[in-house]
Amino acid sequence: MGNYRMGTPKKTASKKTTEKKAVSAKPGKSEKIHLLTQMIRIRQMEEKTYEMYTKEKIRGFLHLYDGEEAVAVGIIENLDKEDGIVSTYREHGHALIAGMSMNSIMAELYGKAEGCSGGRGGSMHLYDKKTNFFGGSAIVANGLPMAVGLAMAYKMQNRNSISCCFFGDGAVDEGEFHESMNLASLWNLPVLFVCENNFYSMGMPFELAQAETDLVKKANAYKIEGAAVDGMDVMAVYDASVKAINYIREQKKPWFLECQTYRFRAHSMFDPERYREKDEVKEWKKRDPITTFTSRLQEEGLLDEDELNEIKKRVAEEVEESVEFSEKGTDEPIENLTRFVYSDEPKTLNKSK
Amino acid sequence: MGNYRMGTPKKTASKKTTEKKAVSAKPGKSEKIHLLTQMIRIRQMEEKTYEMYTKEKIRGFLHLYDGEEAVAVGIIENLDKEDGIVSTYREHGHALIAGMSMNSIMAELYGKAEGCSGGRGGSMHLYDKKTNFFGGSAIVANGLPMAVGLAMAYKMQNRNSISCCFFGDGAVDEGEFHESMNLASLWNLPVLFVCENNFYSMGMPFELAQAETDLVKKANAYKIEGAAVDGMDVMAVYDASVKAINYIREQKKPWFLECQTYRFRAHSMFDPERYREKDEVKEWKKRDPITTFTSRLQEEGLLDEDELNEIKKRVAEEVEESVEFSEKGTDEPIENLTRFVYSDEPKTLNKSK
Amino acid sequence: MKELKQQKMTYRQAVREAMREAMIKDDRVFLMGEDVGLYGGCFNVSEGMLEEFGSERVIDTPLSESGFTGAGIGAAMGGMRPIVEIMTVNFSLLASDQIINTAAIQLYMSGGQFNVPLVIRMATGGGKQLAAQHSRSLEGWYAHIPGLKVLTPATVEDARGMLWPALEDPDPVLIFENTTLYNYEGYMPDNGSIVDISTAKVRRNGADVSIITYGIGLHKSLEAAGILAEEGIEAEVVDLRVLRPLDNETIFKSVSKTHRAVIVDEGWRSGGISAELSSRITEKLFYELDCPVERVCGAEVPAPYARHLEQASLPQPEKIAETIKQMGGLHG
Amino acid sequence: MKELKQQKMTYRQAVREAMREAMIKDDRVFLMGEDVGLYGGCFNVSEGMLEEFGSERVIDTPLSESGFTGAGIGAAMGGMRPIVEIMTVNFSLLASDQIINTAAIQLYMSGGQFNVPLVIRMATGGGKQLAAQHSRSLEGWYAHIPGLKVLTPATVEDARGMLWPALEDPDPVLIFENTTLYNYEGYMPDNGSIVDISTAKVRRNGADVSIITYGIGLHKSLEAAGILAEEGIEAEVVDLRVLRPLDNETIFKSVSKTHRAVIVDEGWRSGGISAELSSRITEKLFYELDCPVERVCGAEVPAPYARHLEQASLPQPEKIAETIKQMGGLHG
Ligand SMILES: Cc1ncc(C[n+]2csc(CCOP(=O)(O)OP(=O)(O)O)c2C)c(N)n1
Ligand SMILES: Cc1ncc(C[n+]2csc(CCOP(=O)(O)OP(=O)(O)O)c2C)c(N)n1
Ligand SMILES: [Mg+2]
Ligand SMILES: [Mg+2]
């Protein structure tokens, strides 16, 4: 796992990040620190959303990403700004790394007019047109066909963009996974299928849900190539996604990437977690993508304590600001309840070319 | 293909046939002649339904089975009477070999009260409770979950029955195939999945619909074992199904059998057949399961001309009788239009145990 | 006379007890669905049942709504009495092929040979800030389909009492449990009650107007009736209980008495079950009505997440009361 | 004045011409569905289009209703203007997750950021002895869903003219083509007509009763109007054309004039669009109605195969006429 031939993705600049930090295929110190920073941003944001949920500032379902940060960061950092991203209800991390501001995410979680969807979507439905973030869907597996369609559009328009679709291990069981994989392969579409295998779909252990647990084999049964990678190791994911993205752009074919990871928290805020042992969680926490990568950078002499503290401080400020922003946010006027059921745009009959 | 270790199915008696002819795993003369007879029964019945369609005695969609007879016969002859069968809209052959009378099939195609479903179902929806024939479904792939459920019931009831599910190559593309295969494998259910691969789903060539055309590989991706067999050779199918059924009953696991076959006629009576060359049909007709098996039996000295003529004559009589029966059939009274939307049985509240 | 012992329990417990009771009484009954076992049910309904009945009768399924709903159909046809749980009605869209193209029509297509004694339970409704993909009320929509029966228990007693007759019913029955009701508490006779699954029930008597409703709407309507009573308007509240087939008799009887009707339905208005009720009443009682039948329904929007928006989109007791006060010729 | 050249063509040709025209005008438009290419369309609608536009714009899909409908959504969001063909509405149940859980609500959930300019065409309706799994009329059922637009062209002109504005519409539009109409012939202006997708149309004027209908029902209603005219009853026939959003204005205007309304819908009665129409009319025009609104609908059965049963299950002109003759206070 994680031992890939390095390649150079078509565009190495991480246009997806808010900070537009350049990251090369062989990342150096600053790129690596950037990756770490991105993971810390997710973690701290999630911790804050947890806190705000307990304070009832955030309601509904809240699915946190703690433990899985290396996946979003390792992959999205290698995507181009024009690439489309399709995600699930566990998408705060993806959204943030795709380049959405923490303010607009947090405000959406608060249900404020200043949120990305004006409070209509909430935690499970973050969207951002600017960064080609095509939303979190809360129907398991139903983003996959959309990702296939986006790739069709890119191909038809002769763009070199790809669509990148995140989904859980549970999504693999659904029929829509099957249909989407076949279509993408059959039509040679530029889709990066990223299975975030955290070994549970809610309380269902992966091995009780899948007759065949080698997911790459499953992908192969659609003639899609792929790989499994240690999803707790951001560099492994990063390298795997460089390889994947190069393959997709060059071969004009889909790729399947299984990232083996773990969620440290409950499935959602309602989950009594009867289905797993505390010890199991403890074991996995030893592989925390942030602490392990931090140690690695420190061992490699790329990061000292001051730098780390500085990063954490900056991120903490960003998080605090997003909370302040959301606290000050306004309510979407009730008169707007029915707005966006249909487009405001009038019938365009006379605009026909 | 077709070169299987022979085994003895749990029950060798072909309880499924109307004639209850015994067929052993190493079939002798009379069993082989029985297999031929069964194929001829299907063929002649189908030819008659075709004729009656052109005479407007039969209406709606009519999907004929000509060319594929070896599949139904080679498999169903090895099933036990208690085994469940789930089929599609191209199910006349399955229904007949399962043990339904030609009368009740033909009368149903005529839309008569004497048909198996009283004229409510027609060609695509033959059902027979007596022979555990759970119907033709005209929604591609939607019989697979039902077959899984039947197998669950058999397993829960500690019966040694299996469920046998016929579906086309087109069904493999649907999500319900994926979900059903996974469930059957995961739960070790006694399901015989029979894919009748006739290389087209309506006008869609198989290789344009499937990224991976090796269907057994697909089955393997659910950890289901299986085999592909020459579906134009009744003995090959027979042998393959003996092996499959033994495996299922002994191992208590599903099995996937791909029967490579061909339909000689158009998809349905409305099909202009633009998508395939006449020559292709001609080529396949050289492998007609009936003529080839007839020659083989003749070469082996198991069948002489008189016997053959006698069989054909008997079958022709059966077919004629079914037409007469249907012609004399009555119309279901219009007052019965809403009958069977719900069961007649009253609320059984007080029958609680 | 034997003292009628009453037991207090939540709607959630009532559903659980109903399932336990059925599984104890009849070994053909089993429960199958996503997270019904290890997790204890996504709404905690089946907590403890895996431990009690084992994994052969409380079956955790992979995420395959079509697959396991269809498997439920097959198992029912094979002689079992499955209870299939689909977490929420929103996900049932993935199984609608099996529900509509298979379960609802096997009996008819087979000319009466194969009935499908299947019960499908699903959570329904909004009000929990779960947004557009988790908050629909589609029970009225399913009630459009011949061959299905559609139950909407609104009380603890019905939540407990409707399951057994549903399982005894030879045909497929959908049971819709409103998520907001799971924590609702009520009393019921010690051993549960025998209830039927064919009639509507008058839950409050009144002479001035009939509020026809079901599910969560019952509770909002009773609240509205309380508000109205303070102003001297006596509302009768009819709990439909069953959306297909509708119990015309009880509905018509009430409206014949009050000459006014309001339908309360959290589902969307256009083409909802509210329209059917309004039409039926008007068709039958046109000349007895003092004013047109009114409908108080959910706003026709995908459910928004923000609380103030979502609450504005749902029928509220005040809105129901207000609508009634505006009706022609009402004293009060 | 320039002579208005009229061209005779079938409904099937009209749909095909509409698609061809759109694909010629706008290279973002493509057609995708099962057997639309090599086979020529399961109802022969797209015959010749593969040859004309090539396999990159006329795309044969595997049997994966959810997959390719969802792919259509994605392609639409990615800047294309897909026409997705689902062979019949019955199979759309396999794609209802994509249609309802995705297409209908992207715009709302994204706070207006992502619209889905997708057109989905499907055949609908019975009458061809195709039995229960191939004969449903579910267009009214889909009209219950906010976020969708639902069109039901009943004439050759509409079959041709509605596609372009549907493609221009920023939101998902479902177009229902009744299978029985494909062979129906009509005339239309040489270049097709500009039609809108927002209004109903009065197809026959009359003072005595309004028949409100759509799709195949239009033709049956016009026949019924012919029968009635012989007896001196003048029926006005309103073709809804669009089931969501409904054009209240045109409907109310007609019923205000005639004071009587009958809804004709091949779909099932209970909870169908007929109920919505009846309710709306009654809510608005209660005091103007001479008698209750009537509904003539499909019998509530899964479609039977046998011709006599199926025909008995469908609304027929004679039945429509008879219903109207029974209405209170009609001379004739
Ligand atoms: C179609 C569908 N079925 C069920 C659910 C309820 N549900 C929400 S998340 C979830 C588990 C999904 O697990 P997985 O795909 O592994 O993603 P994870 O939550 O582990 O990231 C379930 C069952 C749903 N949202 N959609
Ligand atoms: C879900 C669904 N989609 C589309 C159709 C229309 N249709 C009927 S048969 C058929 C082809 C099926 O091909 P296959 O499964 O290979 O079976 P065959 O007809 O070749 O026996 C199609 C597309 C349908 N009946 N059901
Ligand atoms: Mg998971
Ligand atoms: Mg085929």
Side-chain angles (χ1 to χ4, degrees):
Chain A
M1 261 193 286
N3 189 14
Y4 300 109
R5 181 180 51 83
M6 295 287 273
T8 314
K10 268 254 143 56
K11 313 250 172 124
T12 47
S14 164
K15 298 223 183 98
K16 278 286 175 191
T17 72
T18 37
E19 300 173 23
K20 301 247 183 335
K21 209 116 184 25
V23 205
S24 75
K26 274 216 182 292
K29 173 183 154 84
S30 69
E31 289 87 354
K32 286 184 177 170
I33 288 181
H34 175 69
L35 296 178
L36 177 66
T37 307
Q38 292 289 61
M39 292 200 290
I40 292 173
R41 288 177 72 219
I42 300 177
R43 179 70 58 91
Q44 288 203 16
M45 178 177 74
E46 291 296 58
E47 283 174 353
K48 185 57 78 176
T49 66
Y50 180 89
E51 182 192 329
M52 290 304 148
Y53 196 93
T54 61
K55 293 189 176 161
E56 306 201 359
K57 298 289 187 177
I58 298 172
R59 299 275 76 194
F61 283 150
L62 184 73
H63 307 87
L64 299 178
Y65 198 61
D66 306 46
E68 309 190 23
E69 295 89 346
V71 182
V73 174
I75 289 166
I76 300 175
E77 284 294 331
N78 283 318
L79 293 175
D80 183 85
K81 198 179 177 195
E82 295 300 314
D83 294 334
I85 299 178
V86 178
S87 183
T88 69
Y89 48 87
R90 197 182 299 286
E91 88 286 34
H92 307 169
H94 307 130
L96 187 69
I97 307 308
M100 284 177 69
S101 76
M102 209 179 276
N103 284 357
S104 83
I105 295 173
M106 190 65 78
E108 186 61 30
L109 270 55
Y110 266 67
K112 296 296 182 184
E114 290 73 14
C116 58
S117 304
R120 285 176 181 74
S123 161
M124 302 194 285
H125 307 299
L126 301 173
Y127 284 83
D128 189 44
K129 189 146 195 172
K130 281 191 311 300
T131 55
N132 286 302
F133 192 75
F134 288 86
S137 171
I139 304 296
V140 174
N142 102 332
L144 280 86
M146 185 191 291
V148 168
L150 283 170
M152 285 180 82
Y154 299 156
K155 186 173 172 172
M156 287 171 162
Q157 294 159 6
N158 289 316
R159 288 154 66 177
N160 202 17
S161 302
I162 73 173
S163 78
C164 172
C165 184
F166 292 94
F167 52 90
D169 47 298
V172 173
D173 317 340
E174 293 276 11
E176 292 186 341
F177 168 84
H178 176 71
E179 298 184 6
S180 302
M181 293 288 278
N182 187 41
L183 294 182
S185 177
L186 198 59
W187 295 339
N188 294 319
L189 297 176
V191 185
L192 175 53
F193 290 102
V194 182
C195 179
E196 303 188 302
N197 184 358
N198 59 13
F199 297 97
Y200 289 93
S201 49
M202 276 187 68
M204 184 70 162
F206 177 55
E207 67 280 5
L208 297 186
Q210 282 293 330
E212 171 60 73
T213 52
D214 182 339
L215 296 181
V216 176
K217 264 199 200 153
K218 275 191 132 49
N220 294 162
Y222 305 96
K223 283 233 157 90
I224 293 183
E225 302 215 27
V229 67
D230 178 359
M232 305 304 272
D233 176 348
V234 69
M235 286 316 302
V237 177
Y238 186 90
D239 293 350
S241 86
V242 166
K243 176 175 160 153
I245 293 165
N246 278 344
Y247 172 93
I248 297 168
R249 288 205 220 273
E250 280 157 22
Q251 305 282 320
K252 317 278 182 205
K253 282 183 186 172
W255 180 271
F256 177 83
L257 186 59
E258 175 192 355
C259 300
Q260 299 179 346
T261 181
Y262 200 77
R263 64 169 156 71
F264 291 164
R265 293 195 188 267
H267 169 74
S268 74
M269 303 296 284
F270 290 116
D271 172 5
E273 276 186 276
R274 298 191 187 94
Y275 50 84
R276 65 181 185 183
E277 303 287 336
K278 289 237 163 65
D279 274 356
E280 182 183 290
V281 182
K282 223 186 258 172
E283 263 326 291
W284 275 93
K285 280 197 173 165
K286 291 184 188 151
R287 294 170 58 191
D288 184 322
I290 296 178
T291 52
T292 54
F293 192 53
T294 304
S295 307
R296 205 155 112 198
L297 292 185
Q298 285 172 329
E299 277 158 29
E300 288 174 13
L302 299 176
L303 180 73
D304 64 26
E305 209 56 37
D306 285 351
E307 279 175 297
L308 181 61
N309 287 334
E310 175 59 26
I311 292 170
K312 288 187 178 165
K313 201 179 128 245
R314 260 197 298 125
V315 172
E317 282 165 12
E318 188 185 8
V319 171
E320 262 332 299
E321 200 212 297
S322 76
V323 168
E324 276 165 41
F325 178 80
S326 305
E327 290 283 346
K328 280 191 305 218
T330 58
D331 280 351
E332 179 86 0
I334 286 180
E335 307 83 76
N336 286 353
L337 173 64
T338 57
R339 192 161 174 220
F340 303 135
V341 178
Y342 297 98
S343 296
D344 294 334
E345 210 176 313
K347 301 277 170 316
T348 55
L349 193 69
N350 298 324
K351 292 194 334 196
S352 310
K353 347 185 212 170
Chain B
M1 259 193 284
N3 189 13
Y4 300 110
R5 182 179 51 81
M6 296 287 274
T8 315
K10 269 254 141 57
K11 313 248 170 123
T12 48
S14 165
K15 300 223 181 100
K16 278 285 174 193
T17 71
T18 35
E19 301 173 21
K20 300 245 182 338
K21 207 116 186 28
V23 205
S24 76
K26 275 214 181 293
K29 174 182 152 84
S30 70
E31 289 87 354
K32 285 183 175 171
I33 287 181
H34 174 70
L35 296 177
L36 177 66
T37 307
Q38 290 289 61
M39 292 200 290
I40 292 174
R41 288 178 72 222
I42 300 178
R43 178 72 56 93
Q44 287 203 18
M45 178 177 74
E46 291 296 59
E47 283 175 351
K48 186 56 79 179
T49 66
Y50 179 89
E51 181 193 331
M52 291 304 148
Y53 196 93
T54 61
K55 293 189 176 159
E56 307 202 358
K57 298 288 187 180
I58 299 172
R59 297 277 74 195
F61 283 150
L62 184 72
H63 306 87
L64 300 177
Y65 198 60
D66 305 45
E68 311 189 22
E69 295 89 346
V71 182
V73 174
I75 289 167
I76 299 174
E77 284 294 333
N78 284 318
L79 292 176
D80 183 86
K81 199 180 177 199
E82 294 300 314
D83 294 333
I85 299 178
V86 178
S87 183
T88 69
Y89 48 88
R90 195 182 299 287
E91 88 286 35
H92 307 169
H94 308 131
L96 187 70
I97 306 308
M100 285 178 67
S101 78
M102 210 180 277
N103 284 358
S104 82
I105 295 173
M106 190 64 80
E108 186 61 31
L109 271 53
Y110 267 67
K112 295 297 182 186
E114 290 74 13
C116 57
S117 304
R120 286 177 180 75
S123 161
M124 303 195 284
H125 308 299
L126 301 174
Y127 284 83
D128 189 44
K129 188 144 195 172
K130 281 192 311 299
T131 54
N132 286 302
F133 192 75
F134 288 86
S137 171
I139 303 296
V140 174
N142 101 334
L144 279 87
M146 185 192 290
V148 168
L150 284 170
M152 284 180 83
Y154 299 156
K155 185 173 172 172
M156 287 171 163
Q157 294 158 6
N158 289 316
R159 289 154 65 177
N160 203 16
S161 301
I162 73 173
S163 78
C164 171
C165 185
F166 292 94
F167 52 91
D169 46 299
V172 174
D173 316 340
E174 294 276 12
E176 292 186 341
F177 168 84
H178 176 71
E179 298 183 7
S180 302
M181 294 287 279
N182 187 43
L183 294 183
S185 177
L186 198 59
W187 296 339
N188 294 319
L189 298 175
V191 185
L192 174 54
F193 291 102
V194 183
C195 179
E196 304 189 301
N197 184 358
N198 60 12
F199 297 96
Y200 290 94
S201 49
M202 278 187 67
M204 183 68 162
F206 177 55
E207 67 279 7
L208 297 187
Q210 282 293 331
E212 171 61 74
T213 51
D214 183 339
L215 295 182
V216 176
K217 264 199 200 155
K218 275 189 131 48
N220 295 161
Y222 304 96
K223 283 231 156 93
I224 294 183
E225 302 214 27
V229 68
D230 178 359
M232 306 304 274
D233 176 348
V234 70
M235 287 315 302
V237 177
Y238 186 91
D239 293 350
S241 86
V242 166
K243 176 175 161 153
I245 292 165
N246 278 345
Y247 173 93
I248 296 168
R249 289 205 220 273
E250 280 158 23
Q251 306 281 319
K252 317 277 182 206
K253 281 184 187 174
W255 180 271
F256 178 84
L257 186 60
E258 175 192 355
C259 300
Q260 299 179 346
T261 181
Y262 200 77
R263 64 169 156 71
F264 292 163
R265 294 196 188 265
H267 168 74
S268 75
M269 303 297 285
F270 290 116
D271 173 5
E273 277 187 274
R274 296 189 188 97
Y275 49 83
R276 65 181 187 183
E277 302 288 337
K278 291 236 162 64
D279 274 357
E280 181 184 291
V281 183
K282 222 186 256 171
E283 264 325 291
W284 275 93
K285 280 196 172 163
K286 291 183 189 155
R287 295 170 58 189
D288 185 324
I290 296 178
T291 52
T292 55
F293 192 53
T294 303
S295 308
R296 205 155 113 197
L297 292 184
Q298 284 172 330
E299 278 158 27
E300 289 174 14
L302 299 177
L303 180 74
D304 64 27
E305 209 57 36
D306 285 351
E307 280 174 295
L308 181 61
N309 288 334
E310 175 58 24
I311 291 169
K312 288 188 178 165
K313 202 178 126 247
R314 260 196 298 128
V315 172
E317 283 164 12
E318 187 186 8
V319 172
E320 263 331 301
E321 198 211 301
S322 76
V323 168
E324 276 165 40
F325 178 80
S326 306
E327 291 283 346
K328 280 191 304 215
T330 58
D331 279 351
E332 179 84 3
I334 285 181
E335 308 83 76
N336 287 353
L337 172 65
T338 58
R339 191 160 175 223
F340 302 135
V341 179
Y342 297 98
S343 296
D344 293 336
E345 210 176 310
K347 301 279 168 316
T348 54
L349 193 67
N350 298 323
K351 290 193 335 194
S352 308
K353 346 185 210 172
Chain C
M1 223 178 82
K2 208 168 148 262
E3 190 199 0
L4 189 67
K5 268 174 76 189
Q6 297 267 318
Q7 205 184 339
K8 193 173 186 185
M9 60 168 70
T10 61
Y11 187 99
R12 170 183 293 109
Q13 285 172 314
V15 177
R16 184 186 307 141
E17 287 313 306
M19 291 199 286
R20 290 189 55 242
E21 177 186 45
M23 287 179 64
I24 291 166
K25 269 210 230 175
D26 189 332
D27 57 19
R28 296 170 308 171
V29 177
F30 67 94
L31 173 65
M32 161 161 71
E34 291 160 8
D35 286 314
V36 295
L38 280 174
Y39 192 95
C42 63
F43 296 104
N44 224 14
V45 170
S46 49
E47 188 193 338
M49 287 181 62
L50 173 65
E51 293 71 16
E52 182 172 359
F53 297 100
S55 62
E56 308 219 323
R57 296 188 69 199
V58 177
I59 303 175
D60 276 322
T61 65
L63 278 144
S64 322
E65 282 78 5
S66 215
F68 69 76
T69 303
I73 294 169
M77 293 173 82
M80 304 302 289
R81 289 294 177 275
I83 304 172
V84 165
E85 176 178 309
I86 299 178
M87 285 184 169
T88 84
V89 66
N90 309 280
F91 318 149
S92 81
L93 295 173
L94 288 154
S96 58
D97 171 53
Q98 289 296 325
I99 299 171
I100 296 172
N101 274 329
T102 306
I105 59 180
Q106 288 299 302
L107 184 74
Y108 198 81
M109 293 198 304
S110 69
Q113 293 186 78
F114 288 104
N115 61 310
V116 181
L118 171 68
V119 170
I120 304 178
R121 294 174 40 243
M122 10 186 168
T124 188
K128 297 215 163 257
Q129 290 193 252
L130 302 180
Q133 290 181 332
H134 276 72
S135 306
R136 294 190 190 88
S137 298
L138 294 179
E139 51 279 3
W141 199 59
Y142 275 109
H144 181 53
I145 308 297
L148 299 180
K149 293 187 181 168
V150 176
L151 313 186
T152 53
T155 67
V156 165
E157 194 179 357
D158 278 355
R160 175 145 180 190
M162 281 182 146
L163 182 67
W164 183 251
L167 282 164
E168 282 194 316
D169 197 287
D171 299 317
V173 178
L174 311 186
I175 304 183
F176 289 91
E177 298 158 12
N178 191 292
T179 46
T180 308
L181 289 177
Y182 281 128
N183 288 327
Y184 160 84
E185 279 187 321
Y187 288 91
M188 81 175 134
D190 229 6
N191 306 313
S193 323
I194 305 258
V195 304
D196 70 82
I197 54 169
S198 55
T199 61
K201 288 261 170 312
V202 175
R203 298 287 186 192
R204 184 187 197 284
N205 288 301
D208 299 329
V209 59
S210 301
I211 308 181
I212 320 282
T213 187
Y214 70 91
I216 184 73
L218 171 63
H219 303 276
K220 295 188 175 181
S221 298
L222 288 170
E223 245 186 276
I227 299 173
L228 290 165
E230 289 174 18
E231 313 200 12
I233 299 175
E234 288 304 327
E236 179 145 308
V237 179
V238 179
D239 175 8
L240 292 167
R241 301 179 67 252
V242 185
L243 301 191
R244 186 176 189 101
L246 286 168
D247 173 14
N248 290 331
E249 204 181 315
T250 305
I251 300 166
F252 294 158
K253 200 174 144 199
S254 175
V255 182
S256 279
K257 183 176 80 173
T258 63
H259 308 294
R260 284 179 191 81
V262 180
I263 321 296
V264 175
D265 176 16
E266 217 181 83
W268 295 308
R269 180 184 180 101
S270 292
I273 191 81
S274 66
E276 180 59 29
L277 290 158
S278 169
S279 303
R280 282 195 189 197
I281 292 168
T282 309
E283 280 157 5
K284 181 76 178 179
L285 303 173
F286 185 71
Y287 301 101
E288 296 184 41
L289 286 172
D290 282 350
C291 54
V293 178
E294 295 279 348
R295 293 186 277 165
V296 181
C297 300
E300 301 199 32
V301 295
Y305 159 69
R307 185 174 158 78
H308 67 293
L309 294 177
E310 187 181 32
Q311 287 303 316
S313 78
L314 298 172
Q316 304 294 357
E318 299 71 27
K319 176 76 193 299
I320 301 166
E322 205 45 54
T323 304
I324 290 171
K325 282 190 254 170
Q326 305 293 321
M327 287 177 101
L330 261 181
H331 61 87
Chain D
M1 223 178 85
K2 211 170 145 263
E3 190 199 0
L4 189 67
K5 269 173 74 187
Q6 297 265 320
Q7 205 185 336
K8 193 175 186 181
M9 59 168 71
T10 62
Y11 187 97
R12 170 183 290 108
Q13 285 171 313
V15 177
R16 183 186 306 141
E17 287 312 307
M19 290 199 287
R20 290 189 54 243
E21 177 185 46
M23 287 179 63
I24 291 165
K25 268 209 229 174
D26 190 332
D27 57 18
R28 295 171 308 171
V29 177
F30 68 94
L31 172 65
M32 161 161 71
E34 290 160 9
D35 286 313
V36 295
L38 281 173
Y39 192 96
C42 63
F43 295 104
N44 224 12
V45 171
S46 48
E47 188 193 340
M49 286 181 62
L50 174 65
E51 294 72 16
E52 182 172 358
F53 297 100
S55 61
E56 309 218 324
R57 295 187 70 197
V58 176
I59 304 176
D60 276 323
T61 66
L63 276 143
S64 321
E65 283 78 6
S66 215
F68 69 76
T69 303
I73 293 169
M77 292 173 83
M80 303 302 289
R81 289 294 177 276
I83 304 171
V84 165
E85 177 178 308
I86 299 179
M87 285 183 169
T88 85
V89 67
N90 308 280
F91 317 149
S92 80
L93 295 173
L94 288 155
S96 58
D97 171 53
Q98 290 295 325
I99 298 171
I100 296 172
N101 274 329
T102 306
I105 59 179
Q106 288 299 302
L107 184 74
Y108 197 81
M109 292 198 304
S110 69
Q113 293 185 79
F114 289 104
N115 61 310
V116 181
L118 171 67
V119 170
I120 304 177
R121 293 175 41 244
M122 8 186 169
T124 187
K128 297 217 164 252
Q129 290 193 251
L130 301 180
Q133 290 181 332
H134 276 73
S135 306
R136 295 190 191 88
S137 298
L138 293 179
E139 51 279 3
W141 198 59
Y142 274 110
H144 181 53
I145 309 297
L148 299 179
K149 293 187 180 168
V150 176
L151 313 186
T152 54
T155 66
V156 165
E157 194 179 355
D158 277 355
R160 176 146 178 190
M162 281 182 146
L163 182 67
W164 183 250
L167 283 164
E168 282 194 314
D169 196 287
D171 300 317
V173 177
L174 311 186
I175 305 183
F176 288 91
E177 297 159 13
N178 191 292
T179 46
T180 308
L181 289 177
Y182 281 127
N183 288 327
Y184 161 82
E185 279 188 321
Y187 288 90
M188 81 175 132
D190 228 6
N191 305 312
S193 322
I194 305 262
V195 304
D196 69 82
I197 55 170
S198 54
T199 62
K201 287 260 171 310
V202 175
R203 298 288 187 193
R204 184 187 197 284
N205 289 301
D208 298 329
V209 58
S210 300
I211 308 182
I212 320 281
T213 187
Y214 69 91
I216 184 73
L218 171 63
H219 303 275
K220 297 189 173 178
S221 298
L222 288 170
E223 246 185 277
I227 299 173
L228 290 166
E230 288 174 17
E231 313 200 12
I233 298 174
E234 288 304 328
E236 178 144 308
V237 179
V238 179
D239 175 8
L240 292 168
R241 301 179 67 251
V242 184
L243 301 192
R244 186 176 190 102
L246 286 168
D247 173 12
N248 290 331
E249 204 181 317
T250 306
I251 300 165
F252 294 157
K253 202 175 141 194
S254 175
V255 181
S256 279
K257 184 176 80 175
T258 63
H259 308 294
R260 283 178 191 82
V262 180
I263 321 295
V264 175
D265 177 15
E266 218 182 80
W268 295 308
R269 180 184 181 101
S270 292
I273 191 81
S274 67
E276 180 59 30
L277 290 158
S278 169
S279 303
R280 280 194 191 198
I281 291 168
T282 309
E283 279 157 4
K284 181 76 180 180
L285 303 173
F286 185 71
Y287 301 102
E288 297 183 40
L289 286 172
D290 281 351
C291 55
V293 178
E294 296 278 349
R295 294 185 277 165
V296 181
C297 300
E300 301 201 32
V301 296
Y305 160 69
R307 185 176 157 77
H308 67 294
L309 293 177
E310 187 181 32
Q311 287 302 315
S313 78
L314 298 172
Q316 304 293 359
E318 299 71 27
K319 175 76 193 299
I320 301 166
E322 206 44 56
T323 303
I324 290 170
K325 282 191 253 169
Q326 305 293 322
M327 286 177 100
L330 261 182
H331 62 87

